[in-house]
Amino acid sequence: VSLESELAEVVGAVHVVVDPTMTASYEVDWTRRFSGRCRAVVRPDSTEQVVGVLAACRRHGACVVVQGGNTGLVGGATPAGGEVLLSTTRLRELGPVDEIAGQVTVGAGVTLAAVQAHVRPHGFDVGVDLGSRDSATVGGMVATNAGGERVLRYGPMRAQTLGLEAVLSSGDVLAHMGGLPKENTGYDWVGLLTGSEGTLAVLTAVRLRLVPAPAGRAVALLGFDDTRSAMRALSDLRRAVPDLTAAEGFYAAGLAMVRAHTGLGDPLPGGHAVYLLVERTEPAAAVDPAEPLLAALADADVGAAVVVSEGAACRALWRYREAHAEAISADGIPVKLDVAVPVAVLADFVEGLAPTVQQVAPGARVIVFGHLAEGNLHVNVLDAGDNAVAVTDAVLRSVVARGGSISAEHGVGRAKVEWLGLSRTPAELAAMAAVKRALDPTWMLGPGVLLRPAGTPTRRHGGAKPPRGETLGP
Amino acid sequence: VSLESELAEVVGAVHVVVDPTMTASYEVDWTRRFSGRCRAVVRPDSTEQVVGVLAACRRHGACVVVQGGNTGLVGGATPAGGEVLLSTTRLRELGPVDEIAGQVTVGAGVTLAAVQAHVRPHGFDVGVDLGSRDSATVGGMVATNAGGERVLRYGPMRAQTLGLEAVLSSGDVLAHMGGLPKENTGYDWVGLLTGSEGTLAVLTAVRLRLVPAPAGRAVALLGFDDTRSAMRALSDLRRAVPDLTAAEGFYAAGLAMVRAHTGLGDPLPGGHAVYLLVERTEPAAAVDPAEPLLAALADADVGAAVVVSEGAACRALWRYREAHAEAISADGIPVKLDVAVPVAVLADFVEGLAPTVQQVAPGARVIVFGHLAEGNLHVNVLDAGDNAVAVTDAVLRSVVARGGSISAEHGVGRAKVEWLGLSRTPAELAAMAAVKRALDPTWMLGPGVLLRPAGTPTRRHGGAKPPRGETLGP
């Protein structure tokens, strides 16, 4: 019996897709940087079906790559070639909102927007929010420990995840969904599986912590002459307004691309080199959410500022920040690097970025934006030509030299697996491989994602130049 | 060469203790419920020495139990018999306070009180606080994912831990101390090792997230006729004052024992069945920290209330809650059970507790206190006589029947290892054992703690009665 027949037996023939015209949309990521052919797309609609799919793949020695909303940015959900692609999008359970505990259970394939729409009428919200909310699935967000725009206030996806259900490649189901805010009964699957990028288990459901929906929201957009001034103002603002929910930064070059792409007007009078967008939410309906921001800004050294608290006006300011990714993608296929550096050296790092890139890719354009409070920058390099690997190598080494991390919130995926040795020691890599073998002994899940099979070298501090011919995508 | 000589070679003869009169204080926990003889106490003062100690133990086939401040409550740091006891108390590094990032690096053997004293002059505090702060070490707190009094506001120890250094039984050092608030480069050692109770690695240093020291603090003590009214008032209070730092509960019987033990007076006029202590901290110096509590309590249905904001007065109210453990211990050796139940069923659970205990241990006294906002109760049973196992079994089954956990914040240790199957499925236990084997293949660290070696049965839902002759301690 063929694998495809066995899979059809489990999920129904209509949910095993092998026609290349039908599998194509699963086989390339939305940035078009990563692509690979899969053996079949299979769409289970229950945990039992996931168990059955993995059993069939195990019997046939097939590897499995798990895909949620296909909004990842490091190729972790794109096939390398020949895997079965397990799509979670039919795992669509939306459990009742537990208003006493402030929790909800959702299937791994539910989109963030669907959870938001489900919980908001009950006075709750999800602590993580992302521009890709209409497509990104909760399972994918947990698997990548997604961050986004409100990590400053609520932490990343790991902090929203109180329990999970996941299927190991053996078919064993790890179900720990009680949702107790305090529990210490041994190893923490949430701690281990969030951020494991589909390499240890297939997530099928998640118990989410909810946050109270705010009564009001205020957004300020501030203009500065340089990154150093913006970081100083942000530090002062954080002390004065300790409950900021977001602190986002972008630059004149990115703003120009966004305006060209969207047709939006100038958000602030006068041109500025650096823009800082901060948001604050207010729990009490009787309090003006903008008041603490206005008070803090009265004394601040800011070139220009606008503060709004009406919903549409807030969304309009956010649009300048959120449209960066699509404006850049509309211009070309960028080298996209999501990195973190200590906030104390962020301005230094940004100043050195263009020269670093120009050295290995003359004529390339660097567009930077990101989450300034956590030192998390999204470095986009357009027109890198054949120098994508050299640009990646140069930028990541510059990050690590400053005590930073090669991946802040997007994960390692296929994009950075060669560079993982810059952020992790050989002992750490060996321990990661040992954990991988413990839970997925045949290396069936996500081959080539995050970890190289034992023995394959990765780049180290001061290591050799990248091998020629290696590419980051198509 | 003997193991003792090799250990002396590594740490110096004076730090290898074998004289029983000198090892005695390490061999019994402070509740006097757990004790066991160790082969030697060894006190390394650096990560290199820890590596050397583990290498010597590995060569001699000796098992190792790790002990910090010896304030654990489940016997996880007490020898079972014959292990080398690795005391972390000389790992005393106190790194500089990073005021920009709000972080500090400390050795595993530093006490919580020492960290508090170190960071407070810089305007910071540690997010977790415990009554045992003068002895409890940071390493032990991370290893047990300690909770304590401010989980409501800042989360447990896992949420304070941004990085760690740990030595595997192989001698490999996992060092990941960058302290970046956002980082996704593979499996998260903090997520895996916090709460692993010394069974996967020896923690040597921790990178701690700090929280801003508040400008002011207010504490309210409220009296109620029953648990249900207290929980209703707490729910209302949490909505009205979303930044509560603590919500602790205790009962008339516990208060009477505390007053007898300490000589303290009555904290509230009139006798009450249930007491709720809530705390709020205020970031701004100009704002009265008590004001939001007073406003919220104006409309609340409370039998009696006192609200204070002066430092000594706050500490005096906290003393009624914090003295519970010592007052109970002064009265006898209790069966101590740290459990969590969903807050929606907490009042039900408490009402059923005395009958549940009386049924298996007639004449036993039940004293309950705990962290009400997380449904975390400390159940203390005095005068259980020979029925300690039966009491444990009855209470833990009652917890699990209500969707609760057999351990909220103390861990499993040796005390609850037989009951772990009540909170964890066979698939989870198998996966935990697989992870254990991956990182500690010879089962060298903490034998008998948390996990039974493969093949040993643990209790399941509706399983057999506990075997006769089994005890929880001396």
Side-chain angles (χ1 to χ4, degrees):
Chain A
V1 188
S2 75
L3 171 58
E4 287 71 14
S5 308
E6 287 198 37
L7 292 174
E9 197 71 27
V10 174
V11 300
V14 71
H15 295 298
V16 180
V17 186
V18 292
D19 176 347
T21 63
M22 304 281 283
T23 58
S25 68
Y26 296 90
E27 295 175 324
V28 59
D29 79 319
W30 78 269
T31 68
R32 310 183 305 282
R33 294 181 304 148
F34 301 95
S35 67
R37 291 297 315 278
C38 64
R39 181 163 171 179
V41 172
V42 55
R43 300 185 295 216
D45 77 351
S46 67
T47 305
E48 294 65 38
Q49 288 194 359
V50 172
V51 171
V53 166
L54 294 182
C57 292
R58 215 164 49 239
R59 280 193 294 272
H60 288 265
C63 289
V64 173
V65 61
V66 188
Q67 188 177 96
N70 198 14
T71 59
L73 290 161
V74 289
T78 311
E83 302 98 325
V84 169
L85 190 152
L86 191 161
S87 167
T88 61
T89 50
R90 292 179 70 228
L91 299 168
R92 271 186 227 139
E93 178 192 358
L94 267 178
V97 176
D98 179 343
E99 298 197 0
I100 295 175
Q103 301 175 6
V104 69
T105 294
V106 301
V110 174
T111 65
L112 173 57
V115 185
Q116 290 171 335
H118 180 57
V119 306
R120 283 177 180 164
H122 298 267
F124 290 100
D125 206 345
V126 183
V128 163
D129 198 13
L130 310 167
S132 56
R133 60 186 74 82
D134 292 319
S135 304
T137 61
V138 171
M141 292 170 67
V142 172
T144 58
N145 188 28
E149 296 157 356
R150 292 190 192 142
V151 171
L152 176 56
R153 176 68 178 275
Y154 299 115
M157 207 59 193
R158 186 174 284 134
Q160 324 307 321
T161 307
L162 283 168
L164 51 78
E165 184 188 77
V167 186
L168 299 177
S169 61
S170 66
D172 272 0
V173 179
L174 299 184
H176 204 81
M177 296 282 276
L180 296 163
K182 278 171 92 170
E183 193 186 19
N184 273 301
T185 56
Y187 309 153
D188 179 34
W189 305 132
V190 171
L192 181 59
L193 294 183
T194 50
S196 64
E197 304 190 34
T199 63
L200 295 177
V202 181
L203 288 168
T204 48
V206 177
R207 183 75 176 172
L208 282 179
R209 177 202 313 270
L210 302 173
V211 301
R217 180 183 309 276
V219 175
L221 184 68
L222 318 173
F224 299 90
D225 290 341
D226 55 37
T227 309
R228 222 167 293 274
S229 312
M231 293 304 285
R232 211 158 29 225
L234 174 55
S235 174
D236 293 344
L237 258 178
R238 289 187 65 182
R239 279 176 197 270
V241 189
D243 56 357
L244 286 184
T245 46
E248 303 288 307
F250 53 88
Y251 288 79
L255 176 60
M257 289 181 74
V258 164
R259 292 184 57 195
H261 179 67
T262 60
L264 290 171
D266 205 344
L268 274 185
H272 302 274
V274 189
Y275 293 82
L276 173 63
L277 182 154
V278 294
E279 182 189 79
R280 174 181 182 273
T281 56
E282 170 58 47
V287 178
D288 175 6
E291 206 283 319
L293 283 177
L294 290 166
L297 290 171
D299 309 325
D301 182 21
V302 178
V306 54
V307 181
V308 298
S309 56
E310 192 269 320
C314 290
R315 281 190 297 277
L317 283 185
W318 264 111
R319 179 85 178 117
Y320 288 97
R321 161 64 183 81
E322 289 195 334
H324 267 70
E326 68 192 61
I328 292 166
S329 263
D331 200 287
I333 297 182
V335 178
K336 288 182 96 71
L337 298 168
D338 158 56
V339 300
V341 292
V343 289
V345 302
L346 184 138
D348 270 349
F349 171 74
V350 173
E351 279 169 19
L353 204 48
T356 299
V357 169
Q358 292 291 335
Q359 206 157 24
V360 293
R365 291 175 289 152
V366 182
I367 317 289
V368 178
F369 59 95
H371 317 288
L372 296 188
E374 297 94 31
N376 176 192
L377 295 174
H378 299 310
V379 179
N380 288 258
V381 181
L382 284 162
D383 304 332
D386 296 334
N387 300 310
V389 170
V391 165
T392 301
D393 201 65
V395 172
L396 296 187
R397 284 181 190 278
S398 157
V399 165
V400 170
R402 287 174 169 84
S405 168
I406 64 163
S407 176
E409 60 176 10
H410 293 172
V412 173
R414 301 186 193 286
K416 290 177 178 166
V417 66
E418 293 294 330
W419 285 272
L420 190 55
L422 292 174
S423 273
R424 297 289 208 153
T425 64
E428 287 188 277
L429 294 173
M432 282 169 60
V435 170
K436 166 74 171 169
R437 277 191 302 273
L439 296 187
D440 180 23
T442 62
W443 223 271
M444 179 170 141
L445 300 176
V449 173
L450 183 53
L451 288 171
R452 290 273 177 212
T456 319
T458 64
R459 280 172 201 151
R460 296 299 329 285
H461 293 266
K465 294 268 289 176
R468 279 176 56 84
E470 189 175 63
T471 67
L472 291 177
Chain B
V1 187
S2 73
L3 171 58
E4 288 71 15
S5 309
E6 286 197 37
L7 293 173
E9 197 71 26
V10 174
V11 300
V14 70
H15 295 298
V16 181
V17 186
V18 292
D19 177 346
T21 63
M22 305 281 284
T23 59
S25 67
Y26 296 90
E27 294 175 325
V28 59
D29 79 319
W30 77 269
T31 68
R32 310 183 306 281
R33 294 180 304 148
F34 301 95
S35 67
R37 292 297 314 278
C38 65
R39 181 165 172 177
V41 172
V42 55
R43 298 184 297 214
D45 76 352
S46 67
T47 305
E48 293 66 37
Q49 289 193 359
V50 172
V51 171
V53 166
L54 294 182
C57 291
R58 216 164 50 238
R59 281 192 293 273
H60 288 265
C63 289
V64 173
V65 59
V66 188
Q67 187 177 96
N70 199 12
T71 60
L73 289 161
V74 289
T78 312
E83 302 98 326
V84 168
L85 190 152
L86 191 162
S87 167
T88 61
T89 49
R90 291 179 70 227
L91 299 167
R92 271 186 228 139
E93 177 192 357
L94 267 177
V97 176
D98 179 343
E99 297 196 2
I100 295 176
Q103 301 175 6
V104 68
T105 294
V106 302
V110 174
T111 65
L112 173 57
V115 185
Q116 290 170 334
H118 180 58
V119 305
R120 283 177 180 162
H122 298 266
F124 290 100
D125 205 344
V126 183
V128 163
D129 197 15
L130 310 168
S132 56
R133 60 187 72 85
D134 292 319
S135 304
T137 61
V138 170
M141 291 170 67
V142 171
T144 57
N145 188 26
E149 294 156 358
R150 292 190 193 142
V151 171
L152 177 56
R153 176 68 178 276
Y154 299 114
M157 207 60 193
R158 185 174 285 134
Q160 324 309 321
T161 308
L162 282 169
L164 51 78
E165 183 189 75
V167 186
L168 298 177
S169 60
S170 65
D172 272 1
V173 179
L174 300 184
H176 204 80
M177 298 282 278
L180 296 163
K182 278 170 93 170
E183 192 187 18
N184 274 300
T185 56
Y187 309 154
D188 179 33
W189 304 132
V190 170
L192 181 59
L193 294 183
T194 50
S196 64
E197 305 190 32
T199 63
L200 295 178
V202 180
L203 288 167
T204 49
V206 177
R207 183 76 176 172
L208 282 179
R209 176 203 313 273
L210 302 174
V211 299
R217 181 184 308 277
V219 175
L221 184 68
L222 318 173
F224 298 91
D225 290 340
D226 55 38
T227 309
R228 222 167 292 275
S229 312
M231 293 304 286
R232 211 158 30 226
L234 174 56
S235 173
D236 293 344
L237 257 178
R238 289 187 66 183
R239 278 176 196 271
V241 189
D243 56 357
L244 286 183
T245 46
E248 302 288 306
F250 53 87
Y251 288 79
L255 175 60
M257 289 181 74
V258 165
R259 292 185 56 196
H261 179 67
T262 59
L264 291 171
D266 205 345
L268 273 186
H272 303 276
V274 189
Y275 294 82
L276 174 63
L277 182 154
V278 294
E279 183 188 77
R280 175 181 181 275
T281 56
E282 170 59 48
V287 179
D288 175 7
E291 206 284 319
L293 283 177
L294 290 166
L297 290 171
D299 308 324
D301 181 19
V302 177
V306 55
V307 182
V308 299
S309 56
E310 192 270 320
C314 289
R315 282 191 296 277
L317 283 186
W318 265 111
R319 178 86 178 117
Y320 288 97
R321 162 63 183 82
E322 289 194 335
H324 267 70
E326 68 192 61
I328 292 166
S329 264
D331 200 286
I333 298 182
V335 178
K336 287 182 96 73
L337 298 169
D338 158 58
V339 299
V341 293
V343 289
V345 301
L346 184 137
D348 271 347
F349 171 74
V350 172
E351 278 168 20
L353 204 49
T356 299
V357 169
Q358 292 291 335
Q359 206 157 25
V360 294
R365 290 176 290 153
V366 181
I367 317 290
V368 178
F369 59 96
H371 316 288
L372 296 187
E374 297 94 30
N376 177 193
L377 295 173
H378 299 310
V379 178
N380 288 258
V381 181
L382 284 163
D383 304 331
D386 296 334
N387 300 309
V389 169
V391 165
T392 301
D393 201 63
V395 172
L396 297 186
R397 284 180 191 278
S398 157
V399 165
V400 170
R402 286 175 170 85
S405 168
I406 65 163
S407 176
E409 59 177 7
H410 293 172
V412 173
R414 301 186 193 286
K416 289 177 179 165
V417 66
E418 293 294 330
W419 284 272
L420 189 55
L422 291 175
S423 273
R424 298 289 208 151
T425 64
E428 286 188 276
L429 294 173
M432 282 169 61
V435 171
K436 166 74 171 169
R437 278 191 302 273
L439 296 186
D440 180 24
T442 62
W443 224 271
M444 179 171 139
L445 300 175
V449 173
L450 183 53
L451 288 171
R452 291 271 176 211
T456 318
T458 64
R459 280 172 202 149
R460 298 297 329 284
H461 292 266
K465 294 268 288 177
R468 280 177 55 83
E470 190 176 64
T471 66
L472 291 177

